[in-house]
Amino acid sequence: MNTRILATLALSALGLASASIAPARAQDVTIGAIEILTGPNSRYGFAIRNGFDLALEEVNKTGVLGGRKLVIQYEDSAGNKDQAVNGARKLIGITKVPVILGPTLSNEMFAAGPVANAQKVPIVGTSTTAAGITAIGPYVYRTSLPESDVIPVTLKRAQEKFGIKKVAVMYANDDAFSKSGYDVFKASLDKMGIQILTTETFGSKDSDFSAQLTKIKSLNPDAIVVSALVEPASGILLGARAVGIDPKVRFIGGNGFNSPKLGDIAGEAADGTMVGSPWFIAKDDAANTKFVAAYRAKYKDDPDQFAAQAYDTLHIVANAINTAGAPESEKIKAALQATKYSGVMGPFSFTDQRDPADASGVVVIEMKNGKFQILK
């Protein structure tokens, strides 16, 4: 009996010894993402998640991380600042992620960004375009061009193309993104010498804009400039046609307009709407052609700007983790800062302020028959 026990112990010891010298199994690298996956602004969040997941498949297939799998732990913010904060705390404190993607909206980043920054965990916004995002702190990055880079290009093109001299302005005054976009619109309009006939405000959850639009109609503007997310933006377009504003009066929107949902909701009322974009589906370079084809094959739908930005961002972050050599926040931060990447958005690097360094790829697009196309 004792002999048998000793033999068993000896075999166990040999097994342990063998296990100790065997190559360690590669560990998955889990990163976090905070996106709007429920609620009225989930169209943005789903597009972003689709972009992340498509890039994730490619990263894991090509073995960028040396055999380790990259995993994304998603937290749904539902467009709520408190939920975004809770998501950041969970990802940092419980999941122990070394880097976070998102959140979707600037309002959410102003709430969740300080949490990540205080814990020295890089957080990378792919759709946060308001002024002051990266000023939150040195661990806050964004791959989306700020409105201050895009709106002036849009207005200049509208002025050149349609001779716009006087406009009415509308914006949601309870949303940081919309208010920031308004500030950029106003500064740009003033600089260009375009007269602002009136400035009308509304709430981001409002659905009746008839009073503001009736007043605007009486002033006979050349165009109507709006800073808002896609739900109220769509309501404004429908409301404009309902009060009889001439379809020849162009709407010029900020980044919130840049979603296919605008055409889905507003239909013909959206025709002629103009917006600036750092990406467009019809870009004919090889990287974009491959991305669009892969996206359509996977999701049976067309990608939008938010999906494209997310797709590039996941590749940028995966490359940073690989360059860092370890899933450690400080090393990833250093690698992000040194990023040199070329993707569907074009050449990309970060400025010292952690914003995109190149705004030369901005194009102006317009809605026709429910689809965006390049304004010619």
Side-chain angles (χ1 to χ4, degrees):
M1 190 70 164
N2 288 341
T3 304
R4 251 185 263 166
I5 291 172
L6 288 171
T8 301
L9 290 172
L11 287 171
S12 298
L14 283 171
L16 289 172
S18 298
S20 68
I21 61 174
R25 187 167 63 90
Q27 297 296 309
D28 292 342
V29 177
T30 300
I31 63 175
I34 305 168
E35 301 297 344
I36 302 175
L37 302 177
T38 57
N41 290 312
S42 59
R43 176 70 189 231
Y44 298 123
F46 279 121
I48 292 167
R49 186 177 69 176
N50 286 349
F52 286 155
D53 289 349
L54 179 59
L56 185 72
E57 286 184 2
E58 295 175 1
V59 166
N60 287 334
K61 184 177 180 180
T62 56
V64 169
L65 299 184
R68 295 175 295 175
K69 294 290 185 183
L70 188 63
V71 177
I72 301 176
Q73 174 66 45
Y74 285 97
E75 294 294 326
D76 178 17
S77 69
N80 181 282
K81 291 188 290 184
D82 291 337
Q83 283 188 224
V85 168
N86 290 337
R89 288 173 175 162
K90 178 181 176 182
L91 289 169
I92 295 168
I94 298 176
T95 311
K96 306 292 185 183
V97 300
V99 61
I100 295 174
L101 305 173
T104 308
L105 301 179
S106 296
N107 261 359
E108 299 172 302
M109 181 64 97
F110 283 123
V115 175
N117 190 70
Q119 296 300 316
K120 298 185 176 181
V121 173
I123 184 167
V124 186
T126 71
S127 54
T128 46
T129 58
I133 290 293
T134 56
I136 292 169
Y139 289 82
V140 180
Y141 288 77
R142 64 173 158 193
T143 54
S144 52
L145 284 174
E147 292 275 66
S148 56
D149 284 341
V150 179
I151 285 174
V153 176
T154 312
L155 289 175
K156 182 179 179 182
R157 184 78 178 99
Q159 187 183 49
E160 292 172 347
K161 178 76 174 178
F162 302 107
I164 291 170
K165 297 179 180 179
K166 53 184 181 176
V167 301
V169 177
M170 300 180 70
Y171 74 96
N173 60 2
D174 61 349
D175 170 62
F177 158 77
S178 300
K179 174 60 168 63
S180 177
Y182 159 71
D183 291 339
V184 177
F185 269 124
K186 185 179 185 307
S188 300
L189 290 165
D190 288 344
K191 185 176 181 180
M192 295 170 67
I194 297 175
Q195 181 185 4
I196 299 174
L197 299 173
T198 184
T199 299
E200 302 295 320
T201 62
F202 54 89
S204 57
K205 295 183 179 179
D206 287 355
S207 57
D208 183 0
F209 309 96
S210 56
Q212 297 98 319
L213 291 166
T214 298
K215 178 181 176 180
I216 288 171
K217 179 185 176 184
S218 70
L219 297 174
N220 194 31
D222 298 327
I224 302 171
V225 170
V226 184
S227 182
L229 295 170
V230 70
E231 292 283 343
S234 301
I236 288 170
L237 295 176
L238 288 167
R241 302 311 173 219
V243 302
I245 291 178
D246 192 326
K248 293 180 181 178
V249 176
R250 294 263 176 169
F251 276 86
I252 303 171
N255 195 51
F257 277 61
N258 203 352
S259 168
K261 193 171 185 180
L262 190 75
D264 294 343
I265 298 174
E268 292 181 359
D271 280 0
T273 300
M274 299 170 56
V275 62
S277 177
W279 174 86
F280 188 60
I281 193 169
K283 284 177 61 181
D284 60 0
D285 61 273
N288 191 60
T289 300
K290 178 184 175 184
F291 161 67
V292 172
Y295 191 98
R296 285 171 171 165
K298 183 173 176 63
Y299 300 113
K300 313 305 179 189
D301 197 5
D302 285 342
D304 63 12
Q305 170 202 326
F306 300 95
Q309 289 174 165
Y311 175 84
D312 268 3
T313 301
L314 195 280
H315 277 291
I316 288 167
V317 169
N319 287 343
I321 294 171
N322 183 55
T323 300
E328 298 173 10
S329 293
E330 290 296 338
K331 292 181 178 179
I332 292 171
K333 181 182 185 300
L336 282 172
Q337 195 60 57
T339 290
K340 301 290 183 185
Y341 179 77
S342 184
V344 300
M345 307 293 292
F348 184 89
S349 61
F350 287 108
T351 67
D352 291 342
Q353 289 74 41
R354 302 168 306 285
D355 283 317
D358 187 357
S360 63
V362 175
V363 295
V364 179
I365 55 181
E366 66 173 336
M367 183 72 75
K368 279 194 176 181
N369 300 318
K371 300 285 186 181
F372 279 117
Q373 63 182 45
I374 293 177
L375 178 67
K376 297 180 179 178

